[in-house]
Each structure stands twice: as structure tokens, then as C-alpha cells.
Amino acid sequence: MTDITEIRAAAARGAGHLRRTPLLSSPFLDEIAGRRVLVKAECLQQTGSFKFRGAWSALSALAPEVRARGVIAYSSGNHAQGVALAAKLHGTSAVIVMPKDAPALKIANTRAYGAEVVLYDRATEDRDAIGQAIASERGLTLIKPYDEPMVIAGQGTSGLEIAEQAAELGVTTADVLIPCGGGGLTAGVALALEATAPGLRARPCEPEGYDDTARSVKAGERLSNASRASSLCDAIVTPTPGVLTFPIQQRLSGPGIVVTEEEVLRAMALAFQRLKITIEPGGAVGLAAALFHSAEIEGDAVICIASGGNVDTEVFLRALHLPES
Amino acid sequence: MTDITEIRAAAARGAGHLRRTPLLSSPFLDEIAGRRVLVKAECLQQTGSFKFRGAWSALSALAPEVRARGVIAYSSGNHAQGVALAAKLHGTSAVIVMPKDAPALKIANTRAYGAEVVLYDRATEDRDAIGQAIASERGLTLIKPYDEPMVIAGQGTSGLEIAEQAAELGVTTADVLIPCGGGGLTAGVALALEATAPGLRARPCEPEGYDDTARSVKAGERLSNASRASSLCDAIVTPTPGVLTFPIQQRLSGPGIVVTEEEVLRAMALAFQRLKITIEPGGAVGLAAALFHSAEIEGDAVICIASGGNVDTEVFLRALHLPES
């Protein structure tokens, strides 16, 4: 089980490699939300998402001789880029199994970071099976995207920073709104906050139609999404909460918040205009919840993790062209 | 004369108010530039530009009874927003004299921060004269945009951060490419670097047609721009280098670099795609110089200040629609 000791160890292994991302704000966003809004800009992390934290943590925890044989990962794109760059910086090789319909930018970046990319069909093939087959055949170590203790510990380093940065601003009580796919970020951050800022509560945020975590937390058991189609929020579409991540979320998370795609696009446009950052759709669900679901949130302040920024230009343009409302 | 003691005092007065902006990078930008590129993201500062540093420094240095009577500033938009928010946070009032053709977003934001906006015609009227008239009539203190020692000291706090952040990354020798209008940022940063990181050298960057500083540094005297028309790079269009800033630049700056508007737009698109930040045209001239004027730069690393991000959406769309080359 991942705990605060492992999160602190991941932070120590990441020193000089992980970027300390800023906690941003704008009075214009506060006004829309009706409370103080702080945005943890993980889109500014190396490779453009928080996933580099978990990837670095996992790679740096491997025994050198194991790491030298290479690693493999399966991912819609952000974990892919994180593992690819972490492998490159550790001087080893990476194979990445990606769905064919992943954003073109994410596939291109993963290759540019030096990884070998293997594409699969998200509707008909099982990425776990593909990944495990290649791993055993070539002697590679599989770096799972969220159900992996060292990955959860790495994502938790973002929570350590949030606790420190919120305290510097005098914020000790707040909901922390976290874009949630498999739950690695939510679980890691929730563990870090439990130990270092118990007044900050993690809350998973998801897009409509992919609210497996919100329903699972409510039901007390792991439920699945009906749809396996691709989504605007590609980064956080997973079939079901993780085996390791769900018990942590169930113990520590508040209720989930579910947002619409239009709310996501509006949050992206406001982040561009007011915070000067690029957020991808899946990374904007927390900010969308803060801005447009105020009634589901308590307290004077809210902290949103903007978890990634790897968006194709045409999708970003959809957000900027949305009429103001 | 502004010196390092005043810059350190400005940093101390700004603690808890100024945002420590991150130093970002991307291997994709390194590849284009042919050297390591570090980007100081001042677009993530409060109000979306470094100008908040100088405004906070100036306002916080006033005697309380003087500050309580209110302040006035003239600005194309970023100094305006910086002074407006600094005044609001100090509980006093601000009048801002702005050109009629300033970006709509900057005018709207300045009003939204609570300031009274007075518009003037950039081609036919003298903003200094207008500002001084209102100031004396109402008993307001004029906060000049760059020829003001406390403003230069405030802009220098960005240089203190650059010196620390570069050292953490092991960079001790580099050119620091700085978008330059009146020279407050260039002068303040140059003074901070002289005292804390002597291997880092400030270099002013300007758009074609508005290269008064580059020509002045070369000539050893203050020269003016021929054009007074508005420019894509509105934030850094000033008629001539400042009286206080120019001697500092002349003593400490390397040669200026002049970029085209197309290079500016391409730099904005790359910052969006690779760094996940929004830069306005005037704030992108340093990055444009790093990416497209490699032959004018020496050394293995370069540091660009992305000085602001307050761009109207339609201008940003021009950058995103630019064909890749």
C-alpha cells in the first residue's frame, strides 16, 4: 500500500527532475465561482501533464539492472509521454502501447521522446493483454498508468506541493477538485493531503458518460462505464476505477462531480484568457466543476488541479470559438 | 539610482504578493533553437504580466498618507492592470490613462480591477502631459511605467528569481533575452543579474520598426523610433529608451536582437503547443529571438522572459492559424 513515506521518497527521488508547478489564480475566476479559486497548473509539468511525476517515480525506483532492460507502458497519451521522457532521461528504452484514436499530438510527442509506439484498437482490443504479452516476450518492466504503488506515490508529490502552497496563501480548508480517470492522481493526492493538510479534501471530477468513479464512490464498489467510445476528455477515460486506487479514494475522497463537455470547453477558454495556461479537455474537468458546479462545493476556497495541457490545436480552437455566455 | 539593495527591498515588500513564476522548458524548443532554452513565464504573474512587480514595488514604497490620496498611471495596458490591481490590494484608488487603440481585453481588465480609465489618442496626444495634468489637479501620485526607480527595482525581482532558478538547473552562463519597450524590465533584470549571476547577460529584444533600444545601445545615445503607429507588439512600443533605464542598459546589456512579426506569431504558437502558456505578441519577442535568431546568440543555453500574456483572442487565433514552416 502506498503511504506518505513512499510519497516523500518519490519527492526526494524527483528533486531536480520534477517541476514545482505554480498555484495560479485570477479575481475574474473567483467572481464566476463565487469563492476563491486556486489552480495547480500541472499542465506546466515536464511533458505537459502530472503523469511525468508517476513515471519518474516508477522508473527511478527500479533496480538499475532491471531498468536497463527497458520499460513498457500502455496509455492514451499523457502516461505515454511521461514514461517515454523518464526512460530517455534514465538512459533506457521504452515501448508504449497507445490507442489508434489518441490525439495526434500525443502520439507524435511520445515518438519524439524516443519511445517505440505500438498502436491498438480501443474498441476491440485489450491494452493490458497486449502490454503484458510484449513485456514478457522482451523482458521489459510494465509501468502501469495508475494501479502501481510507485506511480501513485509519484502523483502524490503534487499533493505535497498543494499542501505547502495553499498554506502559504493561508488556505487550510478547501475541496481539491481532481480530474479522475483510473484514480492514480486522486489517490496519490488524497494520501498526501491526509498526512500534510487534513483540511483539504480530494474530490474526483469526471465528464458526463464517464463517471465511473463518482458512481463507484457513492455505491461503495467498483462500477464500470457503459461507453467505451472515445471522448473529448481522452486523458481520463478509463473503464473502471483501479483496484489499488479505489479503496484509497473510497476512504478519503468526497463525492464526485460530473461536468458536461460544454463546461469543459468553457473552462479551457477561461484558463487561456485569465490564467494564461493551456489545459486539455480531460485536464479541465476540475476547473469546470469549480466554475459551474458551485452548489456542489462547500467552503470559501477551492483548489483545482489542471492536470494536463496536451491538446490538439483544432480541439483548442473549438474552446476559443465557443460563444460567450 | 536603482541598485541591488533596492531590488532586494522590493522583493521583501512583495513577499506573499508577487508570484514566483516558473522557469519552463521543452526539448522540442531546444531542438529548434539548437541550444537549451529556458522560459521565465512572467505571463503567469498576477494580472498576466511582469508589470505587477513594478507596480507593487512603487505602491508599497509610498508613504501611507500619500498612497491613500490615490495614484495615476499611463500605459498601453499591462502597467495599467498592474497599477490597478496593486492599488486595489492596497485599498486606494487608481486613474489609468490608456491609448484608445489598446487591446480591448486590457482596457476591460483595467476597469474590472477597479480603476478609472481615461482614453487618449496615441497619434496626436502626449500621455505624459495628460497624466501629469490629472495628477496635479487631483493630488494623485504618478506611477511612471519605467522611468521610476521603484518600478525598475520591482521589475528586477524577476531577475533575482531567474538567477536562483538558473543556478538550480546548473546554468551559470547564458544570454537573457528580454522584451524591451521603455527598458524597465531590461534595466531591473540586468542590475539583479550583475549582482547575483554575473554570467547571465541581459539582451533587449524588439520587433522590427520599433528597435529604438537596439539602435541606441549600438550608438551610445538615446534614439527614437520613426513610427508612432500601433503595432502587433503593443506592450513594448515606446518612442525612445527611458532616461533612467538607458544608462543601465548601456552599461550592462549585450547587443539588441530585432525580430519580425511573423517570428513573434510563430513563437506564440510554439509556446502554446510546447510550454502550455499564453504569451502576447510583445511578450514573445525574446522567445522569437531564441528560436529564430540563433546565430546572434552565443553559448549553450539561453533564458527568455515571456513578459506578458494579455492577448485578445483574435490575435492569438492568428498565431494558431499560421501555417507550420
Side-chain angles (χ1 to χ4, degrees):
Chain A
M1 279 294 287
T2 311
D3 62 18
I4 186 64
T5 307
E6 288 182 329
I7 295 172
R8 290 204 166 106
R13 290 196 306 280
H17 304 284
L18 303 180
R19 212 171 266 160
R20 183 183 175 88
T21 56
L23 197 60
L24 304 175
S25 61
S26 161
F28 299 100
L29 299 184
D30 297 354
E31 196 180 326
I32 295 170
R35 55 170 60 84
R36 190 170 180 186
V37 177
L38 302 171
V39 177
K40 177 68 170 166
E42 280 297 303
C43 51
L44 304 178
Q45 187 51 262
Q46 301 249 44
T47 72
S49 90
F50 75 97
K51 290 283 191 178
F52 182 75
R53 295 180 185 269
W56 184 270
S57 171
L59 271 281
S60 62
L62 292 176
E65 65 278 13
V66 173
R67 188 166 58 222
R69 288 199 294 271
V71 298
I72 183 169
Y74 37 91
S75 160
S76 72
N78 281 334
H79 181 58
Q81 292 174 75
V83 170
L85 182 60
K88 186 179 183 183
L89 294 174
H90 277 96
T92 189
S93 63
V95 174
I96 311 287
V97 184
M98 299 182 79
K100 282 181 196 166
D101 60 351
L105 180 68
K106 292 179 177 178
I107 295 174
N109 286 356
T110 304
R111 288 195 170 118
Y113 287 128
E116 176 188 343
V117 172
V118 176
L119 298 174
Y120 77 101
D121 187 320
R122 195 198 291 259
T124 61
E125 296 179 283
D126 177 353
R127 70 178 185 180
D128 290 35
I130 294 172
Q132 283 164 358
I134 301 177
S136 62
E137 184 185 311
R138 303 200 203 172
L140 308 176
T141 299
L142 180 65
I143 310 290
K144 292 186 178 180
Y146 46 86
D147 261 341
E148 158 55 49
M150 286 300 109
V151 169
I152 297 171
Q155 317 309 27
T157 62
S158 178
L160 295 181
E161 294 177 12
I162 288 171
E164 288 175 16
Q165 292 168 317
E168 284 168 13
L169 296 174
V171 173
T172 55
T173 309
D175 280 354
V176 181
L177 308 185
I178 310 176
C180 185
L185 181 62
T186 311
V189 168
L191 288 169
L193 296 177
E194 179 190 27
T196 61
L200 304 184
R201 175 177 69 157
R203 294 188 64 179
C205 298
E206 295 164 302
E208 272 185 352
Y210 301 90
D211 59 345
D212 51 304
T213 298
R215 289 184 292 108
S216 298
V217 166
K218 198 169 179 180
E221 58 175 328
R222 293 168 62 230
L223 301 176
S224 297
N225 290 317
S227 173
R228 295 199 64 180
S230 67
S231 157
L232 181 70
C233 299
D234 65 275
I236 58 171
V237 168
T238 42
T240 187
V243 173
L244 297 184
T245 56
F246 181 66
I248 300 169
Q249 291 181 295
Q250 198 176 15
R251 183 168 69 82
L252 296 174
S253 295
I257 303 179
V258 182
V259 302
T260 68
E261 291 200 345
E262 186 183 324
E263 289 167 343
V264 163
L265 291 168
R266 287 172 63 198
M268 290 168 65
L270 285 163
F272 156 76
Q273 188 179 39
R274 298 306 183 187
L275 300 175
K276 316 305 176 190
I277 57 174
T278 305
I279 317 184
E280 65 185 278
V285 293
L287 180 58
L291 296 176
F292 308 121
H293 290 254
S294 292
E296 297 171 54
I297 300 166
E298 289 172 18
D300 297 332
V302 67
I303 300 169
C304 317
I305 302 186
S307 54
N310 291 309
V311 56
D312 283 351
T313 301
E314 63 190 55
V315 174
F316 194 73
L317 292 177
R318 276 181 60 193
L320 294 194
H321 284 123
L322 210 65
E324 306 213 359
S325 54
Chain B
M1 278 295 287
T2 310
D3 62 19
I4 185 65
T5 306
E6 288 183 328
I7 296 173
R8 290 204 167 106
R13 289 197 306 279
H17 304 285
L18 303 180
R19 213 170 265 161
R20 184 183 175 88
T21 56
L23 197 59
L24 304 175
S25 61
S26 161
F28 299 100
L29 298 184
D30 297 353
E31 197 180 325
I32 295 170
R35 55 171 59 83
R36 190 170 180 187
V37 177
L38 302 171
V39 177
K40 177 68 170 167
E42 280 297 303
C43 51
L44 304 178
Q45 186 52 261
Q46 302 248 43
T47 71
S49 90
F50 75 96
K51 289 282 191 179
F52 182 75
R53 296 180 184 268
W56 185 271
S57 171
L59 270 283
S60 62
L62 292 177
E65 65 277 13
V66 172
R67 188 166 59 222
R69 288 199 295 270
V71 299
I72 183 168
Y74 37 92
S75 159
S76 71
N78 282 333
H79 181 58
Q81 293 175 76
V83 171
L85 182 60
K88 186 180 183 183
L89 294 174
H90 276 95
T92 190
S93 63
V95 173
I96 311 287
V97 183
M98 299 184 76
K100 282 182 197 167
D101 59 350
L105 179 68
K106 291 180 177 178
I107 295 175
N109 286 356
T110 303
R111 289 196 170 118
Y113 286 128
E116 177 189 342
V117 172
V118 175
L119 297 174
Y120 77 100
D121 187 320
R122 196 197 291 260
T124 60
E125 297 180 282
D126 177 353
R127 69 178 186 180
D128 291 35
I130 294 171
Q132 282 163 358
I134 300 177
S136 61
E137 184 185 313
R138 303 200 202 172
L140 308 176
T141 300
L142 180 66
I143 310 289
K144 291 186 179 181
Y146 47 85
D147 260 342
E148 157 55 49
M150 286 301 109
V151 169
I152 297 172
Q155 318 309 28
T157 61
S158 179
L160 294 181
E161 295 177 13
I162 288 171
E164 289 176 16
Q165 292 168 318
E168 283 168 13
L169 296 174
V171 174
T172 55
T173 308
D175 279 354
V176 181
L177 308 185
I178 309 177
C180 186
L185 181 62
T186 311
V189 168
L191 287 169
L193 297 177
E194 179 191 27
T196 61
L200 304 183
R201 176 177 67 157
R203 293 187 66 178
C205 299
E206 295 164 301
E208 272 184 353
Y210 301 90
D211 59 345
D212 51 304
T213 298
R215 289 184 292 108
S216 298
V217 167
K218 198 170 179 181
E221 58 176 328
R222 293 169 61 230
L223 303 176
S224 297
N225 290 316
S227 172
R228 296 200 64 180
S230 68
S231 156
L232 182 71
C233 298
D234 65 274
I236 58 171
V237 169
T238 43
T240 187
V243 172
L244 297 185
T245 55
F246 181 66
I248 300 169
Q249 291 181 296
Q250 197 177 17
R251 182 168 69 81
L252 295 174
S253 295
I257 303 179
V258 182
V259 304
T260 68
E261 291 200 346
E262 186 182 325
E263 289 167 344
V264 164
L265 291 168
R266 286 172 63 198
M268 289 168 64
L270 285 163
F272 157 76
Q273 188 179 40
R274 298 306 183 185
L275 300 176
K276 316 304 175 191
I277 57 174
T278 305
I279 317 184
E280 64 185 278
V285 293
L287 180 58
L291 297 175
F292 308 122
H293 290 255
S294 292
E296 297 171 52
I297 301 166
E298 288 172 18
D300 297 332
V302 67
I303 300 169
C304 317
I305 302 185
S307 54
N310 291 309
V311 56
D312 282 350
T313 301
E314 63 189 58
V315 173
F316 194 73
L317 292 177
R318 275 181 63 191
L320 293 194
H321 284 123
L322 210 66
E324 307 212 358
S325 54

